Structures are given as structure tokens and as C-alpha cells.
Amino acid sequence: MLVVMKAHATPEEIQAVCDHIQQLGFRAHPLPGAQRTAIGITGNRGEVDRGNLESLSGVAEVIRVSKAYKLASRDVKEEDTVVRFPGTDAAIGGRGLAVIAGPCSIESREQAFAIAAQVAAAGAQFFRGGAYKPRTSPYAFQGLGFEALQIMADIRDKFGLRIVTEAIDSQSLELVAAWADVIQIGARNMQNFSLLKHAGRLRKPVLLKRGLSATLEEFLMAAEYIMSEGNYEVILCERGVRTFADHTRNTLDLSIVPAVQRLSHLPILVDPSHGTGKRDSVLPMARAAIASGADGVLVEVHDHPEIALSDGPQSIYPAQFVQMLNELEQIAPVVGRSLPHGIHVQAAAN
Ligand code: PEP
Ligand code: MN
């Protein structure tokens, strides 16, 4: 159920409706929009009696939301969600494209700083690096853990980059939430519902990657798990799915971008690195991602990919990263977007 408030409803009226919903034993999710506030109602106690709600002061109408995902749906919030980072001009969603770049794994302080310096000089606003790695083999590099979080916090201080890193369980989730700016939940954990709920109780943006074989509805339901706990800052990320095709590591499903945008107000990024697994495919698919309307890209960058401890074959060189930004800058205006200020100028100066 969704309560749509009148355009000029006061904060007190909105609060009174939320209190009323809470008293009925449900949870109220006020979602302010440009025109009016909508209040999503969730809870598994059955149907809400709409009669009383409709008579409350400031209420325009009460609507039944028939989709399984509610808070993630455009029915509840028409305008696109923009995730902002207080104290900076970085944003994910909105007109400016988001660019998240960095190595698959933080391997050492030297490696991480060298790559961060190059992506920062090119104009990236977000630095990624794995601290806790979900690897197929238990014998493969599992990440530096807490040490990597400390390294990335120092990178934020030095370069002013926002930090994106993955949490793989409840323990790492608490640490990542405390040390990073964006919590990544990886493809393998997209349906780890207890982890999603835990992330929903935190107040940090969550970058949710699509599961290896998740449908659009499963993807949006995973976002709904996070939002149902009160964390509305969810960023979706397409990173390829399993198909019969074996010319790439995964099949990058760019058609999910417009499909998500039709149904949901959440921002959606594309990861052409995991989506293809091949360095030579990353730039073409990054261009296609922006052309398809994605809100930005997440790419793996490494200065020595041949000795990377994870995902070397799909990591692009810093020079390719600069080239990618220059290409994206040209494509962006065609789809009504732009790269954040400063990317091109700085890239050209390097
Ligand atoms: C990653 O971003 O390094 C990663 C492991 O991604 P995914 O969960 O998409 O495989
Ligand atoms: Mn990786």
C-alpha cells in the first residue's frame, strides 16, 4: 500500500501519517519526491485498512501497489533516485555519470596507491578495491581484509576519492560500513537475504550487483530487502550473467538497463569488467553501457595486470582508463548525460 500525500502536506502531517501506520503494526517508509511525498507501507501482517488513512490530514490518496517490490518501484517514487555523498559533489544517478575504478583486489599499499593516483588524476570520483574477496577457489587470494580497508581510508584522505568495497558476511559488513563510503554486495551474495537485511539496517549506500543468474524481478526483490529495512540508497549494478556463450566470462546483459529504468527509480551502473572478463572488451562495452542509458560504469584498473592477484585478464591499463573517459565524455551528451566536471581536462593534461 502507498499513501500519496498532497503536494503541500506539512512535515507534521507526514509524521502523523507515519505514526498512524506504525500504530497499526506496519512500517512506514516516507519517500520524498520533487512534487510530493509518498509513504510506502510494508509489513507482513496482512492488508492495511485504507479507510482511516484516506481521512488523515494531508493525504491525497491511498493506492494498492500490486508489484512484489514496492519501495524499489516507480509506483512509489516517480523521480530517479540520486545517491549523494555529503561534503563532496560526487553522486550516483542524476545527470552526471558515475565512474568507479580501481583494482579487483587491494594487494599492497604501494599497488593501491599507484592505481588510485592514476584514476584520481584522470578524474574518477570513486575508487574500488576488494578487501574481502569471494573467490571460487579457497586456495586463491582471499584479500587483505581489514588492512585493505585501512589502505583505502588513507586513499580517500589523500586523493579525495569515495571508497567502494565489498562485504561478504555480517562481520565484514560492519567493518566495510564503518570504513568505506559505499558497501558493495557481490553477485554471489545477491540472494543472501540475511546479509541484505543487515545492510538495510545500516545508513550507507549499497551497491548491489546482479546475481549470476538472477532475473530482473529477483534483482529488484533483492534491492527491496535492503530498502524494507529503511536503507533507501541502493545502487544496482549489471555485471553479466551465465549463458551458454563462452567467448566471454559472462554475458553482459545491457538490455536490463532500460528494463530496470522502466520499473524502478534506483540508479543502475554497468560493470563491463566482470561482464566480459576480457580487457579488450571492456572499452567497447563501457561505451555501449553509457549509450544504453546506464548511470555510470564500474571498471577494474590495474597498472600491472599480468601480475594481479585477481582478475588481471579483465583489468584495463590506466592509459586505457583515460581513453575510456574521453570516449564516454563524447557519448554522454547524446543520451543527455555528462561526465563529472574535470574528468576530460585532467585526463587530457596527463
Ligand atoms: C568484484 O567486483 O570484484 C566482484 C567480485 O564482483 P561480482 O560480485 O560481480 O563477481
Ligand atoms: Mn574482480
Side-chain angles (χ1 to χ4, degrees):
M1 203 76 92
L2 174 68
V3 179
V4 181
M5 299 299 292
K6 289 180 181 155
H8 301 294
T10 64
E12 292 74 28
E13 285 172 329
I14 295 168
Q15 190 56 50
V17 174
C18 291
D19 292 345
H20 183 84
I21 293 166
Q22 232 91 270
Q23 274 157 24
L24 293 173
F26 296 95
R27 185 163 181 155
H29 303 269
L31 299 164
Q35 307 299 328
R36 82 279 184 282
T37 291
I39 305 171
I41 306 178
T42 62
N44 51 7
R45 299 177 57 141
E47 276 292 297
V48 191
D49 176 9
R50 63 203 292 164
N52 272 337
L53 285 168
E54 265 165 351
S55 64
L56 294 179
S57 167
V59 172
E61 58 177 330
V62 179
I63 303 170
R64 233 188 93 78
V65 181
S66 52
K67 294 197 183 72
Y69 45 89
K70 300 174 193 304
L71 303 172
S73 161
R74 273 211 198 271
D75 295 352
V76 168
K77 183 167 178 275
E78 228 174 295
E79 308 87 44
D80 294 340
T81 286
V82 181
V83 176
R84 298 185 192 283
F85 297 83
T88 77
D89 60 0
I92 302 179
R95 191 175 194 283
L97 296 173
V99 178
I100 303 176
C104 179
S105 298
I106 301 297
E107 300 168 11
S108 68
R109 183 168 284 269
E110 295 65 38
Q111 171 252 17
F113 267 72
I115 299 167
Q118 303 199 60
V119 299
Q125 292 179 309
F126 297 90
F127 180 74
R128 63 144 291 145
Y132 303 93
K133 295 303 301 175
R135 303 303 300 281
T136 302
S137 164
Y139 308 118
F141 179 59
Q142 303 284 308
L144 294 182
F146 185 62
E147 188 190 342
L149 297 183
Q150 293 175 303
I151 293 170
M152 284 187 281
D154 292 344
I155 284 174
R156 173 176 45 223
D157 290 347
K158 173 139 196 212
F159 301 105
L161 294 162
R162 302 296 101 200
I163 304 300
V164 182
T165 193
E166 179 170 355
I168 53 172
D169 51 24
S170 268
Q171 210 182 348
S172 53
L173 180 58
E174 292 286 342
L175 290 168
V176 166
W179 286 77
D181 300 291
V182 178
I183 303 161
Q184 179 170 318
I185 295 198
R188 290 155 193 82
N189 271 315
M190 191 207 79
Q191 285 191 315
N192 182 340
F193 299 120
S194 68
L195 190 65
L196 297 175
K197 282 201 229 175
H198 189 164
R201 292 193 291 272
L202 303 171
R203 292 295 169 267
K204 269 276 155 89
V206 177
L207 190 156
L208 176 67
K209 295 189 110 185
R210 182 181 180 187
L212 276 71
S213 62
T215 64
L216 171 57
E217 179 156 319
E218 287 163 344
F219 195 13
L220 293 177
M221 288 307 286
E224 188 78 14
Y225 257 96
I226 299 168
M227 300 175 84
S228 71
E229 295 289 333
N231 186 352
Y232 309 121
E233 297 196 304
V234 179
I235 302 141
L236 303 170
C237 182
E238 159 62 26
R239 46 78 71 206
V241 288
R242 279 282 165 87
T243 68
F244 54 82
D246 57 4
H247 61 285
T248 49
R249 178 178 174 186
N250 293 295
T251 297
L252 190 64
D253 177 18
L254 290 182
S255 70
I256 203 166
V257 172
V260 160
Q261 289 170 338
R262 195 165 64 81
L263 297 172
S264 176
H265 54 86
L266 296 174
I268 177 154
L269 305 180
V270 169
D271 169 358
S273 302
H274 295 87
T276 63
K278 302 225 154 109
R279 181 175 308 120
D280 289 349
S281 299
V282 172
L283 266 65
M285 296 315 282
R287 297 194 296 262
I290 297 312
S292 78
D295 294 298
V297 289
L298 178 155
V299 286
E300 289 185 336
V301 179
H302 203 295
D303 51 353
H304 295 289
E306 59 292 344
I307 53 163
L309 295 181
S310 61
D311 286 350
Q314 67 192 35
S315 300
I316 56 172
Y317 290 97
Q320 287 179 294
F321 179 65
V322 172
Q323 185 190 337
M324 183 192 84
L325 292 178
N326 283 312
E327 291 173 358
L328 299 189
E329 191 187 38
Q330 295 173 61
I331 294 168
V334 178
V335 285
R337 312 298 283 264
S338 61
L339 280 181
H341 205 59
I343 279 196
H344 184 62
V345 179
Q346 294 193 24
N350 266 276

PDB file of all heavy atoms in Angstrom, residues 88-112:
ATOM      1  N   THR A  88      30.816  16.406  -0.656  1.00  0.00           N
ATOM      2  CA  THR A  88      31.505  16.248  -1.938  1.00  0.00           C
ATOM      3  C   THR A  88      30.487  16.520  -3.048  1.00  0.00           C
ATOM      4  O   THR A  88      29.293  16.579  -2.786  1.00  0.00           O
ATOM      5  CB  THR A  88      32.028  14.809  -2.167  1.00  0.00           C
ATOM      6  OG1 THR A  88      30.907  13.991  -2.538  1.00  0.00           O
ATOM      7  CG2 THR A  88      32.657  14.225  -0.924  1.00  0.00           C
ATOM      8  N   ASP A  89      30.964  16.633  -4.291  1.00  0.00           N
ATOM      9  CA  ASP A  89      29.992  16.769  -5.382  1.00  0.00           C
ATOM     10  C   ASP A  89      29.781  15.432  -6.100  1.00  0.00           C
ATOM     11  O   ASP A  89      29.168  15.371  -7.152  1.00  0.00           O
ATOM     12  CB  ASP A  89      30.399  17.888  -6.356  1.00  0.00           C
ATOM     13  CG  ASP A  89      31.765  17.614  -6.989  1.00  0.00           C
ATOM     14  OD1 ASP A  89      32.369  16.565  -6.672  1.00  0.00           O
ATOM     15  OD2 ASP A  89      32.215  18.448  -7.801  1.00  0.00           O
ATOM     16  N   ALA A  90      30.294  14.370  -5.492  1.00  0.00           N
ATOM     17  CA  ALA A  90      30.107  13.043  -6.092  1.00  0.00           C
ATOM     18  C   ALA A  90      28.647  12.610  -5.941  1.00  0.00           C
ATOM     19  O   ALA A  90      28.009  12.903  -4.937  1.00  0.00           O
ATOM     20  CB  ALA A  90      31.023  12.029  -5.420  1.00  0.00           C
ATOM     21  N   ALA A  91      28.141  11.935  -6.970  1.00  0.00           N
ATOM     22  CA  ALA A  91      26.763  11.441  -6.926  1.00  0.00           C
ATOM     23  C   ALA A  91      26.643  10.226  -7.833  1.00  0.00           C
ATOM     24  O   ALA A  91      27.429  10.057  -8.772  1.00  0.00           O
ATOM     25  CB  ALA A  91      25.805  12.535  -7.386  1.00  0.00           C
ATOM     26  N   ILE A  92      25.681   9.377  -7.522  1.00  0.00           N
ATOM     27  CA  ILE A  92      25.381   8.249  -8.409  1.00  0.00           C
ATOM     28  C   ILE A  92      23.904   8.356  -8.756  1.00  0.00           C
ATOM     29  O   ILE A  92      23.046   8.338  -7.876  1.00  0.00           O
ATOM     30  CB  ILE A  92      25.722   6.895  -7.762  1.00  0.00           C
ATOM     31  CG1 ILE A  92      27.212   6.854  -7.377  1.00  0.00           C
ATOM     32  CG2 ILE A  92      25.370   5.753  -8.719  1.00  0.00           C
ATOM     33  CD1 ILE A  92      27.677   5.566  -6.701  1.00  0.00           C
ATOM     34  N   GLY A  93      23.615   8.506 -10.062  1.00  0.00           N
ATOM     35  CA  GLY A  93      22.257   8.813 -10.520  1.00  0.00           C
ATOM     36  C   GLY A  93      22.244  10.281 -10.914  1.00  0.00           C
ATOM     37  O   GLY A  93      23.209  11.003 -10.687  1.00  0.00           O
ATOM     38  N   GLY A  94      21.180  10.721 -11.542  1.00  0.00           N
ATOM     39  CA  GLY A  94      21.128  12.124 -11.980  1.00  0.00           C
ATOM     40  C   GLY A  94      21.854  12.304 -13.303  1.00  0.00           C
ATOM     41  O   GLY A  94      22.234  11.331 -13.957  1.00  0.00           O
ATOM     42  N   ARG A  95      22.095  13.557 -13.663  1.00  0.00           N
ATOM     43  CA  ARG A  95      22.642  13.833 -14.995  1.00  0.00           C
ATOM     44  C   ARG A  95      24.095  13.372 -15.148  1.00  0.00           C
ATOM     45  O   ARG A  95      24.502  12.847 -16.184  1.00  0.00           O
ATOM     46  CB  ARG A  95      22.528  15.330 -15.287  1.00  0.00           C
ATOM     47  CG  ARG A  95      22.816  15.654 -16.722  1.00  0.00           C
ATOM     48  CD  ARG A  95      22.580  17.106 -17.060  1.00  0.00           C
ATOM     49  NE  ARG A  95      22.554  17.295 -18.490  1.00  0.00           N
ATOM     50  CZ  ARG A  95      23.642  17.322 -19.259  1.00  0.00           C
ATOM     51  NH1 ARG A  95      24.831  17.190 -18.726  1.00  0.00           N
ATOM     52  NH2 ARG A  95      23.535  17.467 -20.569  1.00  0.00           N
ATOM     53  N   GLY A  96      24.883  13.597 -14.116  1.00  0.00           N
ATOM     54  CA  GLY A  96      26.306  13.241 -14.185  1.00  0.00           C
ATOM     55  C   GLY A  96      26.503  11.728 -14.101  1.00  0.00           C
ATOM     56  O   GLY A  96      25.821  11.051 -13.332  1.00  0.00           O
ATOM     57  N   LEU A  97      27.423  11.232 -14.894  1.00  0.00           N
ATOM     58  CA  LEU A  97      27.693   9.796 -14.864  1.00  0.00           C
ATOM     59  C   LEU A  97      28.679   9.474 -13.734  1.00  0.00           C
ATOM     60  O   LEU A  97      29.605  10.239 -13.476  1.00  0.00           O
ATOM     61  CB  LEU A  97      28.297   9.351 -16.198  1.00  0.00           C
ATOM     62  CG  LEU A  97      27.379   9.502 -17.408  1.00  0.00           C
ATOM     63  CD1 LEU A  97      28.154   9.191 -18.690  1.00  0.00           C
ATOM     64  CD2 LEU A  97      26.167   8.581 -17.279  1.00  0.00           C
ATOM     65  N   ALA A  98      28.478   8.332 -13.101  1.00  0.00           N
ATOM     66  CA  ALA A  98      29.394   7.912 -12.034  1.00  0.00           C
ATOM     67  C   ALA A  98      30.447   6.980 -12.621  1.00  0.00           C
ATOM     68  O   ALA A  98      30.131   6.118 -13.450  1.00  0.00           O
ATOM     69  CB  ALA A  98      28.616   7.191 -10.937  1.00  0.00           C
ATOM     70  N   VAL A  99      31.686   7.176 -12.217  1.00  0.00           N
ATOM     71  CA  VAL A  99      32.758   6.289 -12.670  1.00  0.00           C
ATOM     72  C   VAL A  99      33.469   5.738 -11.440  1.00  0.00           C
ATOM     73  O   VAL A  99      34.035   6.488 -10.652  1.00  0.00           O
ATOM     74  CB  VAL A  99      33.755   7.048 -13.577  1.00  0.00           C
ATOM     75  CG1 VAL A  99      34.896   6.118 -13.989  1.00  0.00           C
ATOM     76  CG2 VAL A  99      33.052   7.599 -14.815  1.00  0.00           C
ATOM     77  N   ILE A 100      33.391   4.437 -11.293  1.00  0.00           N
ATOM     78  CA  ILE A 100      34.035   3.751 -10.164  1.00  0.00           C
ATOM     79  C   ILE A 100      35.175   2.929 -10.750  1.00  0.00           C
ATOM     80  O   ILE A 100      34.951   2.104 -11.643  1.00  0.00           O
ATOM     81  CB  ILE A 100      33.039   2.824  -9.435  1.00  0.00           C
ATOM     82  CG1 ILE A 100      31.810   3.613  -8.956  1.00  0.00           C
ATOM     83  CG2 ILE A 100      33.716   2.094  -8.277  1.00  0.00           C
ATOM     84  CD1 ILE A 100      30.723   2.750  -8.315  1.00  0.00           C
ATOM     85  N   ALA A 101      36.392   3.148 -10.280  1.00  0.00           N
ATOM     86  CA  ALA A 101      37.539   2.468 -10.889  1.00  0.00           C
ATOM     87  C   ALA A 101      38.549   2.068  -9.832  1.00  0.00           C
ATOM     88  O   ALA A 101      38.693   2.724  -8.797  1.00  0.00           O
ATOM     89  CB  ALA A 101      38.201   3.391 -11.910  1.00  0.00           C
ATOM     90  N   GLY A 102      39.255   0.984 -10.123  1.00  0.00           N
ATOM     91  CA  GLY A 102      40.304   0.530  -9.210  1.00  0.00           C
ATOM     92  C   GLY A 102      40.544  -0.946  -9.417  1.00  0.00           C
ATOM     93  O   GLY A 102      39.866  -1.592 -10.225  1.00  0.00           O
ATOM     94  N   PRO A 103      41.508  -1.504  -8.700  1.00  0.00           N
ATOM     95  CA  PRO A 103      41.842  -2.907  -8.909  1.00  0.00           C
ATOM     96  C   PRO A 103      40.768  -3.845  -8.368  1.00  0.00           C
ATOM     97  O   PRO A 103      39.969  -3.432  -7.527  1.00  0.00           O
ATOM     98  CB  PRO A 103      43.132  -3.073  -8.102  1.00  0.00           C
ATOM     99  CG  PRO A 103      43.013  -2.062  -7.007  1.00  0.00           C
ATOM    100  CD  PRO A 103      42.292  -0.891  -7.613  1.00  0.00           C
ATOM    101  N   CYS A 104      40.779  -5.068  -8.845  1.00  0.00           N
ATOM    102  CA  CYS A 104      39.857  -6.067  -8.291  1.00  0.00           C
ATOM    103  C   CYS A 104      40.139  -6.192  -6.795  1.00  0.00           C
ATOM    104  O   CYS A 104      39.248  -6.056  -5.973  1.00  0.00           O
ATOM    105  CB  CYS A 104      40.060  -7.410  -8.999  1.00  0.00           C
ATOM    106  SG  CYS A 104      38.969  -8.688  -8.355  1.00  0.00           S
ATOM    107  N   SER A 105      41.418  -6.432  -6.451  1.00  0.00           N
ATOM    108  CA  SER A 105      41.805  -6.601  -5.037  1.00  0.00           C
ATOM    109  C   SER A 105      42.847  -5.571  -4.639  1.00  0.00           C
ATOM    110  O   SER A 105      43.719  -5.215  -5.444  1.00  0.00           O
ATOM    111  CB  SER A 105      42.453  -7.974  -4.816  1.00  0.00           C
ATOM    112  OG  SER A 105      41.554  -8.998  -5.111  1.00  0.00           O
ATOM    113  N   ILE A 106      42.777  -5.144  -3.391  1.00  0.00           N
ATOM    114  CA  ILE A 106      43.882  -4.382  -2.813  1.00  0.00           C
ATOM    115  C   ILE A 106      44.962  -5.419  -2.487  1.00  0.00           C
ATOM    116  O   ILE A 106      44.725  -6.342  -1.700  1.00  0.00           O
ATOM    117  CB  ILE A 106      43.433  -3.651  -1.520  1.00  0.00           C
ATOM    118  CG1 ILE A 106      42.278  -2.691  -1.811  1.00  0.00           C
ATOM    119  CG2 ILE A 106      44.622  -2.942  -0.870  1.00  0.00           C
ATOM    120  CD1 ILE A 106      42.591  -1.552  -2.753  1.00  0.00           C
ATOM    121  N   GLU A 107      46.121  -5.266  -3.126  1.00  0.00           N
ATOM    122  CA  GLU A 107      47.171  -6.274  -2.962  1.00  0.00           C
ATOM    123  C   GLU A 107      48.271  -5.798  -2.025  1.00  0.00           C
ATOM    124  O   GLU A 107      48.921  -6.594  -1.352  1.00  0.00           O
ATOM    125  CB  GLU A 107      47.753  -6.614  -4.339  1.00  0.00           C
ATOM    126  CG  GLU A 107      46.693  -7.171  -5.296  1.00  0.00           C
ATOM    127  CD  GLU A 107      47.174  -7.229  -6.740  1.00  0.00           C
ATOM    128  OE1 GLU A 107      48.373  -7.039  -7.005  1.00  0.00           O
ATOM    129  OE2 GLU A 107      46.325  -7.467  -7.621  1.00  0.00           O
ATOM    130  N   SER A 108      48.512  -4.489  -2.027  1.00  0.00           N
ATOM    131  CA  SER A 108      49.510  -3.896  -1.138  1.00  0.00           C
ATOM    132  C   SER A 108      49.248  -2.399  -1.114  1.00  0.00           C
ATOM    133  O   SER A 108      48.537  -1.877  -1.990  1.00  0.00           O
ATOM    134  CB  SER A 108      50.933  -4.140  -1.659  1.00  0.00           C
ATOM    135  OG  SER A 108      51.126  -3.407  -2.859  1.00  0.00           O
ATOM    136  N   ARG A 109      49.805  -1.720  -0.145  1.00  0.00           N
ATOM    137  CA  ARG A 109      49.659  -0.260  -0.071  1.00  0.00           C
ATOM    138  C   ARG A 109      50.215   0.404  -1.333  1.00  0.00           C
ATOM    139  O   ARG A 109      49.591   1.280  -1.925  1.00  0.00           O
ATOM    140  CB  ARG A 109      50.386   0.242   1.185  1.00  0.00           C
ATOM    141  CG  ARG A 109      50.277   1.727   1.440  1.00  0.00           C
ATOM    142  CD  ARG A 109      50.775   2.084   2.834  1.00  0.00           C
ATOM    143  NE  ARG A 109      49.791   1.728   3.847  1.00  0.00           N
ATOM    144  CZ  ARG A 109      48.831   2.536   4.298  1.00  0.00           C
ATOM    145  NH1 ARG A 109      48.726   3.764   3.832  1.00  0.00           N
ATOM    146  NH2 ARG A 109      47.984   2.131   5.207  1.00  0.00           N
ATOM    147  N   GLU A 110      51.383  -0.081  -1.786  1.00  0.00           N
ATOM    148  CA  GLU A 110      52.031   0.526  -2.957  1.00  0.00           C
ATOM    149  C   GLU A 110      51.154   0.355  -4.197  1.00  0.00           C
ATOM    150  O   GLU A 110      50.939   1.299  -4.955  1.00  0.00           O
ATOM    151  CB  GLU A 110      53.404  -0.124  -3.220  1.00  0.00           C
ATOM    152  CG  GLU A 110      54.451   0.102  -2.133  1.00  0.00           C
ATOM    153  CD  GLU A 110      54.108  -0.546  -0.779  1.00  0.00           C
ATOM    154  OE1 GLU A 110      53.553  -1.681  -0.775  1.00  0.00           O
ATOM    155  OE2 GLU A 110      54.361   0.080   0.274  1.00  0.00           O
ATOM    156  N   GLN A 111      50.680  -0.869  -4.399  1.00  0.00           N
ATOM    157  CA  GLN A 111      49.841  -1.145  -5.578  1.00  0.00           C
ATOM    158  C   GLN A 111      48.586  -0.272  -5.558  1.00  0.00           C
ATOM    159  O   GLN A 111      48.233   0.362  -6.542  1.00  0.00           O
ATOM    160  CB  GLN A 111      49.463  -2.645  -5.584  1.00  0.00           C
ATOM    161  CG  GLN A 111      48.413  -3.042  -6.616  1.00  0.00           C
ATOM    162  CD  GLN A 111      47.054  -3.368  -5.974  1.00  0.00           C
ATOM    163  OE1 GLN A 111      46.803  -3.011  -4.826  1.00  0.00           O
ATOM    164  NE2 GLN A 111      46.205  -4.045  -6.731  1.00  0.00           N
ATOM    165  N   ALA A 112      47.925  -0.215  -4.404  1.00  0.00           N
ATOM    166  CA  ALA A 112      46.656   0.517  -4.317  1.00  0.00           C
ATOM    167  C   ALA A 112      46.884   2.011  -4.527  1.00  0.00           C
ATOM    168  O   ALA A 112      46.124   2.669  -5.264  1.00  0.00           O
ATOM    169  CB  ALA A 112      45.996   0.258  -2.963  1.00  0.00           C
TER     170      ALA A 112
END
